[in-house]
Amino acid sequence: MGTSSTRGANGGDSRSTATPDVDAVVVGAGFAGLYMLHLLRGMGLSVRVFERGGGVGGTWYWNRYPGARCDTDSVEYSYQFSDELQQEWRWTERFATQPEILRYLEHVTDRFDLRRDISFRTTVTEAAFDEAEGCWRIATDDGARLSATYCVMATGCLSAVNRPAFDGLERFEGAWYHTGAWPHEGVSLAGKRVGIVGTGSSAIQSIPLIAAEARHLTVFQRQANYTVPARNAPLDEAEYADIRAAYGEHRRRAKETPAGCWWAVNPETAEEMSLPARERELEERWRKGGLSMYGVFNDLLVSPAANDVATDFIRKQIRALVRDPEVAALLSPGSFLGCKRICLDTDYYATFNRPNVTLVDISDAPIEEITRGGLRTGGREYEFDAIVFAIGFDAMTGPLLRVDIRGREGRPLGAKWADGPSTYLGIAIEGFPNLFTVTGPTSPSVLTNMVPAIEQHVEWIADCIAHARRSDRPCIEATREAEEDWMAHHEEVAAGTVFPACNSWYVGANVAGKPRRVMPYTGGFPDYVKKCDAVAASDYEGFSLSAG
Ligand code: NAP
């Protein structure tokens, strides 16, 4: 707290002060924000966390749609910074449900006494760098103002919902929902005629459950997605004891894999394998379930030929699971496997054998409008009591650009990113000193297990802040040259993969008008971590220090 004329998180104006109100503001109280708070507080910094939700959890606070659960095995979708924590927590299923993950994050919050530094139901609307004072000026939707030396955006990659922008939505007389902002009190769809728009991960998880409840479910599909059986199951005691005994070793090995996950990556390319060996590998991964299909061939994401082998196999599975050949054909994607996020499901394809489920292909006939009674596409009106929009998120850049962030000379981040995001390591942005993004655009983030990716970023940011604070010039900023070099590398690596070829949220294709750029770093977790470590070891090469 600088002077008596400033007020902190609870409201009021802050005037220019030599000492900011707090050392750091953290935006968001999901996996990233909670750990950031814990670390910075441990370093002796004063920290204020602002969280839009009424509780902790981020993604896991908002996404309460039917069937919401994680696609990464629960035992590895958790923090590893505290061995006591990972030893004492007991996951019940292979893939944890949303309520269980939320319980875990609430447990972490209480165990590390984090709640007292978090302002809930508070949305950060502006963050502006004050060059005269060398601090960030933060404004929130409740009118509060706070200054901070450091500002960490722990806002997540998939937290800005892709708002339904269909003509006539306000006329609809039924109820409508977005999977990413599901009502906390729950929704009964029993006996109702329900339409669902979208067939991404959220839809693929919820469709089997909604179909079991609704009178009739109509699924509107723009592009089909690949989904692999989850094979979820309870975790038994013996299995759990083995995991606990070797937790550290599992974690260490995961860090050596491109996705930072425990599942093994086949060391061989498809070309190096015989036809029967390829088939066995595919069968085995399909039987085991989970996202290990990403690792079926070493070159899956860089060789179209290898990718074809895998997609032929999955299309064969779809034909076996879906009785109506026309429906099976519609459900069979034509794109590369993995250039859109692979989904996991429980009985997704079989759901289309139900008499109360209809698939409508809208690839050539976009939704024209929402009507009073339903929606119109392809010149036909469909009537519904409820519509579920499972249309995803303004991914990666959306959570940052929905805050009015201004750097040096008042330059808006939106202006800097008009043609797409540009960062140094996905952590820092030239022209925005002392601002850090946890798993920001051009970091591996969404192509890895998010929790270790978050922990790596949070620890790196904490070390970087400690480095700046040791100096008499505590203002640290990525240089233009370092950012340009990193972006050139990011783009070169992405160009050698299948990612640019698909209309996915990875490239921003799902949001009208969004610049098309591969946003996550595609070079894999180990190389990325090596680069970050090298930057830190060389006295933060690519960063400059200044007084403000
Ligand atoms: P998504 O993957 O972006 O899927 C959105 C769906 O809505 C797509 O099928 C998309 O079609 C469709 N869509 C969007 N706008 C549309 C429009 N105007 N008209 C018609 N259809 C439209 O979103 P999501 O399913 O919420 O998943 C997003 C990401 O969140 C996932 O990829 C995953 O990373 C994460 N997630 C993870 C889990 C998990 O771990 N279990 C669960 C849910 C989500 P197009 O494909 O044609 O764009």
Side-chain angles (χ1 to χ4, degrees):
M1 181 68 206
T3 73
S4 57
S5 62
T6 58
R7 275 174 60 194
N10 297 325
D13 290 322
S14 104
R15 285 186 232 130
S16 276
T17 58
T19 311
D21 297 330
V22 289
D23 294 316
V25 154
V26 175
V27 187
F31 268 102
L34 292 174
Y35 185 36
M36 195 78 247
L37 167 60
H38 176 62
L39 273 195
L40 292 179
R41 212 161 68 177
M43 287 160 54
L45 273 70
S46 56
V47 186
R48 173 61 32 193
V49 178
F50 292 113
E51 167 54 53
R52 180 165 56 99
V56 298
T59 286
W60 302 103
Y61 176 86
W62 297 105
N63 285 267
R64 300 177 188 230
Y65 58 83
R69 63 171 76 235
C70 191
D71 280 355
T72 299
D73 285 56
S74 51
V75 291
E76 52 175 324
Y77 192 80
S78 53
Y79 293 116
Q80 56 193 295
F81 69 82
S82 158
D83 191 47
E84 294 79 23
L85 172 66
Q86 73 182 356
Q87 292 293 337
E88 79 198 9
W89 184 262
R90 171 66 160 95
W91 296 103
T92 61
E93 293 178 76
R94 177 176 178 192
F95 296 109
T97 60
Q98 173 271 329
E100 189 169 12
I101 301 171
L102 191 56
R103 273 201 301 282
Y104 169 76
L105 287 170
E106 280 165 355
H107 167 76
V108 171
T109 304
D110 294 333
R111 192 185 191 288
F112 296 99
D113 186 25
L114 301 176
R115 216 172 283 276
R116 63 188 159 88
D117 286 329
I118 308 174
S119 300
F120 292 105
R121 297 189 201 287
T122 310
T123 300
V124 171
T125 51
E126 292 168 38
F129 187 66
D130 179 334
E131 289 188 82
E133 299 293 346
C135 70
W136 282 90
R137 299 206 169 271
I138 309 294
T140 57
D141 61 348
D142 60 0
R145 300 284 181 273
L146 190 77
S147 59
T149 308
Y150 301 98
C151 177
V152 182
M153 300 299 292
T155 38
C157 297
L158 294 158
S159 54
V161 293
N162 185 15
R163 301 174 184 125
F166 301 102
D167 281 350
L169 183 58
E170 69 292 345
R171 281 200 301 269
F172 183 53
E173 288 174 352
W176 67 267
Y177 310 96
H178 191 296
T179 44
W182 200 257
H184 289 197
E185 62 278 15
V187 173
S188 171
L189 296 170
K192 299 206 167 129
R193 298 162 307 165
V194 181
I196 184 166
V197 181
T199 50
S201 294
S202 304
I204 282 174
Q205 288 187 327
S206 56
I207 282 169
L209 294 174
I210 297 176
E213 190 187 5
R215 169 143 56 103
H216 193 94
L217 177 65
T218 307
V219 179
F220 295 92
Q221 174 185 274
R222 190 164 68 179
Q223 294 178 79
N225 262 301
Y226 292 102
T227 172
V228 170
R231 313 276 187 216
N232 184 42
L235 287 168
D236 71 41
E237 216 35 72
E239 192 181 354
Y240 216 95
D242 286 350
I243 289 168
R244 277 194 177 119
Y247 230 130
E249 181 54 18
H250 288 301
R251 301 285 202 180
R252 193 195 56 72
R253 272 194 287 111
K255 286 183 182 158
E256 292 168 0
T257 72
C261 289
W262 294 17
W263 42 261
V265 179
N266 181 355
E268 291 186 294
T269 64
E271 202 179 16
E272 287 164 351
M273 299 172 79
S274 67
L275 290 181
R278 289 176 183 175
E279 194 68 12
R280 271 199 306 278
E281 191 71 32
L282 285 157
E283 291 276 6
E284 183 62 5
R285 289 180 191 252
W286 185 267
R287 188 187 61 73
K288 281 195 182 152
L291 289 176
S292 79
M293 193 56 88
Y294 273 111
V296 67
F297 307 125
N298 194 292
D299 54 346
L300 181 81
L301 299 177
V302 293
S303 158
N307 206 283
D308 282 350
V309 175
T311 57
D312 283 350
F313 172 85
I314 297 183
R315 284 192 285 265
K316 193 171 74 184
Q317 306 304 315
I318 298 171
R319 288 194 293 276
L321 288 166
V322 179
R323 273 189 229 117
D324 182 332
E326 278 180 31
V327 177
L330 283 179
L331 288 168
S332 299
S335 53
F336 290 124
L337 176 67
C339 74
K340 296 179 77 167
R341 164 71 146 63
I342 299 177
C343 305
L344 294 191
D345 74 277
T346 301
D347 297 334
Y348 178 66
Y349 291 122
T351 298
F352 292 90
N353 296 330
R354 294 177 65 108
N356 71 331
V357 175
T358 307
L359 179 66
V360 178
D361 170 28
I362 55 167
S363 54
D364 291 328
I367 292 169
E368 291 153 29
E369 60 168 344
I370 308 294
T371 61
R372 283 168 56 174
L375 68 77
R376 187 187 305 281
T377 171
R380 179 179 160 192
E381 184 174 352
Y382 296 82
E383 297 207 332
F384 300 118
D385 304 305
I387 302 177
V388 175
F389 294 105
I391 58 173
F393 302 88
D394 181 354
M396 303 200 76
T397 51
L400 298 166
L401 294 177
R402 286 186 188 181
V403 179
D404 184 2
I405 300 178
R406 289 166 187 262
R408 287 199 187 278
E409 296 167 11
R411 189 176 186 208
L413 183 61
K416 174 164 172 134
W417 285 5
D419 297 327
S422 168
T423 80
Y424 184 33
L425 301 170
I427 297 180
I429 304 163
E430 177 267 330
F432 295 75
N434 286 356
L435 178 83
F436 298 94
T437 52
V438 183
T439 61
T442 84
S443 76
S445 56
V446 290
L447 297 180
T448 63
N449 178 357
M450 281 305 291
V451 186
I454 284 169
E455 282 184 300
Q456 184 262 342
H457 262 200
V458 166
E459 287 165 9
W460 196 96
I461 291 167
D463 288 347
C464 182
I465 289 177
H467 166 79
R469 279 163 61 87
R470 277 193 296 273
S471 147
D472 54 357
R473 295 168 300 151
C475 200
I476 190 156
E477 179 179 1
T479 65
R480 178 167 301 181
E481 191 188 13
E483 186 171 296
E484 283 172 1
D485 287 352
W486 173 251
M487 290 307 297
H489 169 68
H490 168 79
E491 275 159 28
E492 187 189 344
V493 177
T497 69
V498 295
F499 291 102
C502 289
N503 289 325
S504 69
W505 60 257
Y506 293 142
V507 300
N510 62 326
V511 174
K514 190 164 173 170
R516 191 178 175 107
R517 280 257 178 119
V518 175
M519 291 186 286
Y521 178 64
T522 53
F525 195 53
D527 281 1
Y528 174 79
V529 173
K530 242 184 255 162
K531 169 73 182 169
C532 291
D533 289 350
V535 168
S538 59
D539 256 1
Y540 294 87
E541 189 188 2
F543 285 88
S544 63
L545 284 166
S546 64

